[in-house]
Amino acid sequence: MTDNSSAMQVDAALVKQLAELLDDNKLTEIEVQDGERRIRVARTVTVAAQATPLAAAAPPVAAAVAPEAPAGPDNTNAIKSPMVGTVYLSSEPGTRPFAAVGDVVSEGQTLVIIEAMKVMNPILATKAGKVARVCVQNGQPVEYDQPLIVID
């Protein structure tokens, strides 16, 4: 018989509750810490898998953001918000943005950060290219599927 007294005891109810928070708030990860115990629940979201179901939901979202990101061919290359939250264009106030108009970005590079439920979620470039337009302002609330940055 082995002694498991030093092993971390996982609270399955807490893990389930965190997973439900991920789904309910369209988050990709959430982490909680209580003293020495830390639990992180995350999921991988693929852009291609989301594209098909979102096509039907796109018109109301596009209408809501029309003043900031007019509909048109420019938005076909837009990196869109995978969640509701507050967008930040740089890592700290007063520092250079992660990506500005004219910058050349590589696939996987951080473009913005979206804060949701006190969790900072980096939004990465899904392709390499040149930043044609930044559709949001620093500290602005963003909606699910809202265009953030257009990459040509």
Side-chain angles (χ1 to χ4, degrees), residues 87-92 95-101 103-106 109-114 121-124 131 134 138 149:
V87 68
Y88 296 103
L89 302 178
S90 61
S91 59
E92 294 180 3
T95 61
R96 186 184 186 300
F98 292 111
V101 174
D103 287 355
V104 175
V105 297
S106 56
Q109 180 178 335
T110 299
L111 299 175
V112 298
I113 293 175
I114 297 180
N121 300 281
I123 307 304
L124 309 178
V131 176
V134 177
N138 193 52
I149 291 185

Side-chain angles (χ1 to χ4, degrees), residues 19-38:
E20 288 172 358
L21 280 172
L22 281 177
D23 290 336
D24 293 347
N25 296 291
K26 296 180 175 41
L27 299 174
T28 55
E29 69 180 68
I30 191 168
E31 184 174 332
V32 295
Q33 185 169 352
D34 180 20
E36 293 293 316
R37 184 174 73 160
R38 187 174 98 184

Side-chain angles (χ1 to χ4, degrees), residues 68 86-89 134-142 146-148:
E68 296 160 8
T86 303
V87 68
Y88 296 103
L89 302 178
V134 177
C135 305
V136 292
Q137 295 178 358
N138 193 52
Q140 171 186 338
V142 292
Q146 179 176 341
L148 301 170

Side-chain angles (χ1 to χ4, degrees), residues 5-25:
S5 61
S6 64
M8 183 172 128
Q9 299 297 314
V10 177
D11 183 349
L14 176 60
V15 173
K16 182 178 179 181
Q17 183 181 16
L18 292 173
E20 288 172 358
L21 280 172
L22 281 177
D23 290 336
D24 293 347
N25 296 291

